[in-house]
Amino acid sequence: MKGNEQQLVEFLENNKRFCIPLYQRNYDWKEGNCRQLFSDLLRIHEDGSKSHFFGSIVYSQSEANGDERLIIDGQQRITTVSLILIAMINAAKSDELPSEDKDYYIQNVSERFLIDKWRKTERKVKLKPIKKDMEAFDALLFKSPEEFIMDSVVTRNYLFFYDEVKKCGLKLEEILEAINKLEIISIWLGKDDDPQLIFESLNSTGLDLSESDKIRNNLLMSLNSKEQEEAYDKYWNKIEIATAYQPTMFIRDYLTIKSKANKVAKIENLYFEFKTYSSESGLSKMEQMADMFKYAIQYDKIQKADLGDSVLNKLLRQLSYIDTQQYMPFLVQFFIYAEESGMPLADRHTVVQTIECYMARRIICGLPANALNKVFASLHSDIMKHIKEFEKHDEPFVSSYPEVLKYVLIRKQGNSELPSDNKVAEEMRVRNVYKMPLAYRYFMFERMNNGLSKEFVDIVGNMKNGTISIEHIMPQTLSPRWKNDLGPNFQEIHDKYLHTFANLTLSAYNQSYSNSSFDEKWNGTTDRNGKQIVGYKDSIYSIGADLKGYSQWTETEILDRQHKLIEKFKTIWPMPTSTFKPIERPVDNVMFSDEDTELTGRTISAFTYKGTRQEVDSWKSMLAGLCAMVYREHKSAIDFLCSQKGHFHTEPHDGCSQISLTCYVDTANSTKDKISIIKKMFSECSLSEDDLSFDLVPIAQEA
């Protein structure tokens, strides 16, 4: 590897051709990046600066052509400067950018930096962007503006620079002089240099790579040129298309699915988690991409609600109103399994309906959404564990996937629970709808309106575009008439029910209703412009149909409608029941990192640490056995804990268990205390809580 400090224009001029490898991302500088660069050029001119550092460019010689340079890092900046140069000469040709010697500079800039006129191939352009960008780039050089590819980022940024060079007040020569002052560190990689390691360690001034960019590079860089072409066309490009060129979230879900411990991958650490998975998978890079593509196909079908069945597609569209990706790791695995196993469509419908029910009940009860990440990361594997138990015992599995799904969800506890009918009713009476995220409101009103209606109304679309909105029946500001109609306790009633479902409906006349009396809202009226305002009695919205039966709006009517809406909710999303009976005595495998599971009072039969399973007869023997395993790995850390005079000791005493010749741990304490000891130990040893799980006797068995 050789580094050289030089002017960017010198680098561009002295090398005949630059090729952007297929493992690089498409050109994607944002306007803000372009604006910053052009502002820098103007400042260079105004300040009379001698130079301006423009980052590093890493390149190597192409295997296919000795005159061609592969740009390992720096393609964004090289492409952007090339766009400025094209904008300059095109603006000069159109006499929109002044120049002292226009023809000379147009030819000079073109032949020094943009065109390789001696090249024997048909395309005589120095820069060879990735396929998607190359056509747009060439059009800027050789075609008229009417033929530019307008949906390309290349064209978008070119047009930005074209406008800037026209209005900046500088001559072509002055802009070129500023560009001449851009300095780079050019880094030449020899045959013995590893491009991937160099790529990972760079910290240049260009646009930061996304995690998916780094993963793409990791997959493609190790292949030769021919293999890169094949892998890019056959797999990676199709993965990007399937994810709308935003593959990061898909890759996160993919890694979550592939995690042996059902660990939710972290976006900020995605690249390094992928490298770990990649090295442990035993698959070649080509095989890894083929596997990713398989999941990306399913991911795309779910996102587009295009599963080849109208009922299933409708159910997925309904679910999408919640506007979350949390359930994707489960749905992707489920639909792949459903296809491979030939699952009946009716069962697939039931699964999606059950997931919607689980989400709806949690939303109405205000349960934390972050708990769902772990639920959906492990849900498919939890179901399959039960199904495979029958195979292990050579027993016929006579139930179904949906029944096992419902069985698993019904047994969830704490923040992961599936709320019961009583809890739903209790929470629905007091839930402040306006404290729900906006997407949740859209979802709830759409389903509560269309759930039992024969005619579909696009509630979400109309709410988003402002055609309809949530209407307070009892208004937010009480008029004297409203206070009188509500009675002496009007303020208490207003405070208690104002933003609850019982006092809300949908309307296209929210502003026109204002704080009109209930009679006026019910019958309808005419506004001051003569426009007819439809009343509740003629409303087309199913969610407000019950209002037609009321002649007044007091606490009595509010409570009556409250009851009706609760019953409607339970009809749309009935509490699941399951006919599934697990074989013999199943085990609840619980991740230590899952804080939603109640461990106190539970019976433990085994624990698994870093893939090693150890049977135990009590929480006491679990703690002693686990500490002994950790001690062998992290002796100095445990010795440090002993010195802190907490729960670890160097001498035996009552209530301790020995974990080494010179180390003891307190075990005569509650399960809660034992969990605290483990957390402290894991923290001190920098261990992941995902490395530990417990096999627990099911609650029903214990009860």
Side-chain angles (χ1 to χ4, degrees):
M1 180 174 69
K2 297 180 180 179
N4 181 35
E5 184 176 347
Q6 64 181 141
Q7 291 177 309
L8 174 65
V9 292
E10 179 186 359
F11 177 81
L12 295 176
E13 185 177 13
N14 291 344
N15 292 282
K16 291 185 178 182
R17 289 181 290 281
F18 303 96
C19 178
I20 309 302
L22 290 173
Y23 54 73
Q24 294 277 23
R25 65 176 181 267
N26 292 308
Y27 177 69
D28 60 359
W29 259 33
K30 305 297 187 289
E31 183 179 304
N33 303 109
C34 297
R35 189 178 299 280
Q36 181 62 56
L37 174 55
F38 200 79
S39 296
D40 289 343
L41 293 175
L42 295 181
R43 187 171 64 252
I44 291 169
H45 171 77
E46 292 169 0
D47 296 344
S49 303
K50 292 183 179 181
S51 64
H52 179 82
F53 182 61
F54 197 46
S56 59
I57 293 177
V58 182
Y59 65 109
S60 64
Q61 183 172 305
S62 170
E63 296 174 8
N65 192 320
D67 289 334
E68 201 169 74
R69 305 295 182 244
L70 295 179
I71 304 300
I72 308 301
D73 183 66
Q75 71 119 329
Q76 301 287 327
R77 281 164 287 130
I78 288 178
T79 304
T80 303
V81 171
S82 298
L83 292 177
I84 297 175
L85 295 171
I86 298 173
M88 288 165 54
I89 62 175
N90 284 350
K93 288 177 182 177
S94 302
D95 293 322
E96 294 179 284
L97 176 63
S99 172
E100 296 291 342
D101 192 347
K102 180 178 73 172
D103 293 338
Y104 167 79
Y105 279 104
I106 290 175
Q107 181 178 357
N108 180 275
V109 170
S110 296
E111 294 183 0
R112 288 176 64 198
F113 310 123
L114 300 171
I115 304 298
D116 179 14
K117 66 179 182 178
W118 303 112
R119 191 172 190 179
K120 295 180 180 180
T121 57
E122 182 178 346
R123 185 177 185 273
K124 300 182 182 297
V125 182
K126 295 191 72 167
L127 180 64
K128 182 183 178 183
I130 295 176
K131 295 177 181 179
K132 181 185 176 185
D133 297 329
M134 185 164 62
E135 185 179 359
F137 188 86
D138 288 1
L140 302 177
L141 280 168
F142 305 119
K143 295 184 179 181
S144 63
E146 294 77 23
E147 296 174 283
F148 289 173
I149 300 173
M150 302 308 294
D151 63 348
S152 169
V153 176
V154 169
T155 307
R156 183 197 68 190
N157 288 352
Y158 161 81
L159 293 174
F160 168 81
F161 287 123
Y162 192 94
D163 288 338
E164 292 299 309
V165 299
K166 285 194 306 180
K167 68 184 182 182
C168 69
L170 301 183
K171 298 177 183 178
L172 185 153
E173 297 90 327
E174 291 172 319
I175 301 175
L176 184 58
E177 182 181 3
I179 294 175
N180 285 337
K181 294 177 179 179
L182 295 177
E183 291 195 350
I184 62 167
I185 301 294
S186 60
I187 303 174
W188 167 263
L189 299 186
K191 294 182 179 179
D192 296 329
D193 294 314
D194 186 338
Q196 178 65 31
L197 293 179
I198 300 296
F199 192 90
E200 292 174 13
S201 65
L202 291 171
N203 183 24
S204 58
T205 59
L207 186 69
D208 289 342
L209 290 172
S210 70
E211 294 300 291
S212 61
D213 290 331
K214 299 173 186 176
I215 289 168
R216 178 200 56 233
N217 298 342
N218 178 274
L219 288 167
L220 293 175
M221 269 185 166
S222 62
L223 307 176
N224 61 42
S225 298
K226 183 178 179 181
E227 290 172 332
Q228 285 180 16
E229 185 92 21
E230 178 186 355
Y232 181 84
D233 289 338
K234 191 174 181 180
Y235 300 123
W236 185 263
N237 189 44
K238 292 179 180 179
I239 290 171
E240 289 195 326
I241 292 171
T243 58
Y245 293 97
Q246 298 292 329
T248 298
M249 294 304 294
F250 160 70
I251 296 174
R252 185 201 69 166
D253 292 338
Y254 176 79
L255 287 179
T256 298
I257 291 169
K258 292 297 179 178
S259 169
K260 294 178 182 179
N262 301 125
K263 178 182 176 183
V264 180
K266 296 180 180 179
I267 291 291
E268 64 274 14
N269 202 37
L270 204 60
Y271 173 61
F272 294 103
E273 291 196 27
F274 183 86
K275 286 186 68 176
T276 300
Y277 157 73
S278 179
S279 64
E280 295 176 351
S281 69
L283 302 175
S284 69
K285 299 295 186 183
M286 198 73 78
E287 290 170 333
Q288 288 175 36
M289 281 184 277
D291 189 59
M292 291 174 69
F293 180 46
K294 168 186 171 182
Y295 284 85
I297 292 172
Q298 206 64 52
Y299 188 90
D300 185 39
K301 289 180 180 179
I302 296 168
Q303 293 281 64
K304 293 177 179 176
D306 186 16
L307 271 293
D309 174 68
S310 59
V311 175
L312 203 51
N313 293 343
K314 178 185 176 183
L315 292 172
L316 287 172
R317 284 193 294 272
Q318 290 172 184
L319 193 60
S320 71
Y321 294 142
I322 301 175
D323 194 24
T324 180
Q325 294 285 104
Q326 290 175 298
Y327 47 65
M328 288 300 289
F330 168 71
L331 288 183
V332 170
Q333 293 178 89
F334 163 66
F335 280 115
I336 289 176
Y337 173 78
E339 287 186 6
E340 292 177 348
S341 63
M343 184 183 295
L345 278 174
D347 282 359
R348 303 184 201 195
H349 299 164
T350 301
V351 167
V352 180
Q353 289 169 327
T354 302
I355 296 302
E356 183 187 300
C357 175
Y358 179 59
M359 297 291 285
R361 285 175 170 258
R362 291 177 58 81
I363 286 171
I364 201 64
C365 293
L367 293 175
N370 58 2
L372 295 176
N373 289 323
K374 291 180 180 177
V375 170
F376 288 121
S378 63
L379 187 54
H380 178 70
S381 61
D382 290 342
I383 295 167
M384 294 308 298
K385 284 177 185 176
H386 284 289
I387 294 175
K388 289 176 181 177
E389 277 295 313
F390 287 81
E391 296 177 11
K392 290 179 182 178
H393 290 78
D394 199 24
E395 294 282 346
F397 177 66
V398 295
S399 188
S400 67
Y401 190 104
E403 290 302 310
V404 182
L405 166 65
K406 290 184 281 187
Y407 173 84
V408 171
L409 291 180
I410 291 167
R411 294 164 55 79
K412 293 290 182 184
Q413 297 177 282
N415 286 336
S416 300
E417 73 170 314
L418 170 61
S420 65
D421 281 347
N422 287 339
K423 188 159 187 176
V424 165
E426 177 186 341
E427 293 295 330
M428 197 166 179
R429 293 186 185 101
V430 298
R431 185 81 157 107
N432 185 331
V433 172
Y434 284 86
K435 289 187 177 180
M436 288 182 177
L438 189 59
Y440 288 5
R441 278 180 255 166
Y442 290 156
F443 167 73
M444 293 302 301
F445 277 94
E446 193 282 332
R447 299 294 294 120
M448 289 288 284
N449 185 84
N450 289 328
L452 302 177
S453 177
K454 295 181 180 179
E455 296 184 1
F456 174 80
V457 181
D458 185 8
I459 299 299
V460 174
N462 287 331
M463 289 182 77
K464 286 183 175 180
N465 65 30
T467 302
I468 61 175
S469 59
I470 299 173
E471 153 73 4
H472 289 81
I473 303 167
M474 171 178 57
Q476 298 190 64
T477 302
L478 294 177
S479 65
R481 169 74 182 272
W482 266 104
K483 292 178 182 179
N484 180 71
D485 290 348
L486 289 171
N489 295 329
F490 68 84
Q491 192 60 56
E492 180 183 344
I493 295 170
H494 191 262
D495 293 343
K496 187 174 183 179
Y497 302 110
L498 178 64
H499 297 309
T500 63
F501 273 99
N503 188 54
L504 301 173
T505 187
L506 291 171
S507 172
Y509 306 101
N510 196 338
Q511 291 185 341
S512 299
Y513 284 146
S514 186
N515 63 346
S516 300
S517 68
F518 182 77
D519 287 343
E520 293 170 322
K521 292 186 176 186
W522 193 87
N523 286 299
T525 185
T526 303
D527 67 15
R528 52 186 158 188
N529 297 319
K531 179 182 177 182
Q532 181 63 39
I533 307 303
V534 176
Y536 294 158
K537 67 182 179 66
D538 299 312
S539 173
I540 64 171
Y541 301 110
S542 171
I543 195 171
D546 44 15
L547 295 175
K548 300 175 183 180
Y550 301 125
S551 59
Q552 60 181 357
W553 195 248
T554 67
E555 186 171 26
T556 300
E557 286 73 31
I558 293 174
L559 290 173
D560 183 68
R561 184 167 186 255
Q562 183 184 85
H563 173 74
K564 290 177 179 178
L565 289 178
I566 290 171
E567 292 306 307
K568 186 174 187 178
F569 183 103
K570 292 191 293 186
T571 302
I572 296 171
W573 297 293
M575 181 65 184
T577 58
S578 176
T579 59
F580 174 68
K581 300 294 182 184
I583 194 168
E584 293 185 350
R585 178 175 167 170
V587 170
D588 288 340
N589 184 258
V590 176
M591 297 300 297
F592 179 59
S593 58
D594 189 352
E595 298 178 357
D596 300 325
T597 303
E598 180 59 53
L599 299 176
T600 301
R602 301 290 303 274
T603 302
I604 185 171
S605 60
F607 72 91
T608 302
Y609 172 68
K610 290 187 175 182
T612 300
R613 186 174 183 273
Q614 184 171 315
E615 294 186 359
V616 293
D617 57 10
S618 65
W619 286 101
K620 175 181 176 180
S621 58
M622 179 281 301
L623 181 59
L626 175 64
C627 289
M629 295 172 74
V630 174
Y631 184 88
R632 289 192 289 270
E633 295 179 328
H634 303 276
K635 180 179 182 300
S636 60
I638 303 301
D639 286 342
F640 171 77
L641 289 175
C642 289
S643 70
Q644 301 301 300
K645 298 181 180 179
H647 294 287
F648 290 86
H649 314 278
T650 56
E651 299 289 340
H653 63 79
D654 292 342
C656 277
S657 295
Q658 187 173 15
I659 62 175
S660 77
L661 290 175
T662 58
C663 187
Y664 304 81
V665 63
D666 292 334
T667 52
N669 42 32
S670 67
T671 303
K672 183 178 179 180
D673 287 338
K674 291 180 176 69
I675 299 305
S676 296
I677 292 171
I678 297 172
K679 285 182 176 292
K680 174 69 174 176
M681 178 175 66
F682 272 37
S683 175
E684 187 63 39
C685 298
S686 298
L687 295 170
S688 170
E689 293 185 1
D690 289 321
D691 288 334
L692 176 63
S693 65
F694 305 122
D695 287 354
L696 306 178
V697 175
I699 293 175
Q701 296 281 346
E702 293 175 330

